[in-house]
Amino acid sequence: MRRLMVAIGRRATVFRNHVGMIRDERGQVHRFGLCVGSSDLIGWTTRTVTPDMIGQRIAVFTAIEVKTPTGQPTDQQSHFLETVHRAGGIAFIARSEADLARLGNERPQDTR
């Protein structure tokens, strides 16, 4: 995870998104993270807008699900990636630093 975050460098700004729940000593449940299925790394990728808005820059929501070479996303993770992509965000699975090249050609093709 840390290697991928470093490898992203200045191409995107991402933060580790821990998702889960914990029960305190009184038995109360505390949930944390964005939502069930949300990606391991979330943040934004800065893009310069096309000629009709020359010079303006926008932050495009970026979601990267980190998996081992054989790891498979859950249905919720696949759904989250597809939802982000359909909304115009950047969303994909990264299994290695080489997969980060997809920051220029994002599509959550590798979702199951």
Side-chain angles (χ1 to χ4, degrees):
M1 187 79 60
R2 177 56 92 191
R3 279 191 348 256
L4 291 177
M5 290 178 75
V6 170
I8 288 171
R10 295 182 187 262
R11 292 181 293 161
T13 301
V14 295
F15 304 92
R16 178 69 169 100
N17 177 43
H18 294 276
V19 177
M21 56 86 77
I22 188 169
R23 223 176 265 284
D24 67 17
E25 63 279 350
R26 293 174 299 192
Q28 263 190 319
V29 173
H30 301 276
R31 297 186 187 285
F32 52 89
L34 226 80
C35 64
V36 173
S38 59
S39 297
D40 296 310
L41 302 177
I42 58 166
W44 65 87
T45 302
T46 303
R47 295 285 167 88
T48 301
V49 179
T50 54
D52 60 321
M53 296 176 73
I54 291 185
Q56 291 188 23
R57 292 165 37 106
I58 59 170
V60 178
F61 186 83
T62 302
I64 303 170
E65 182 62 38
V66 178
K67 293 292 179 194
T68 64
T70 58
Q72 293 299 312
T74 65
D75 289 340
Q76 293 96 335
Q77 290 167 336
S78 294
H79 177 72
F80 185 83
L81 291 172
E82 194 59 48
T83 300
V84 169
H85 179 74
R86 278 195 315 264
I90 297 168
F92 62 94
I93 293 173
R95 297 175 187 285
S96 68
E97 289 94 332
D99 291 336
L100 297 176
R102 294 175 70 185
L103 271 169
N105 183 20
E106 307 81 18
R107 174 112 181 101
Q109 302 151 331
D110 181 16
T111 58
R112 264 268 158 203

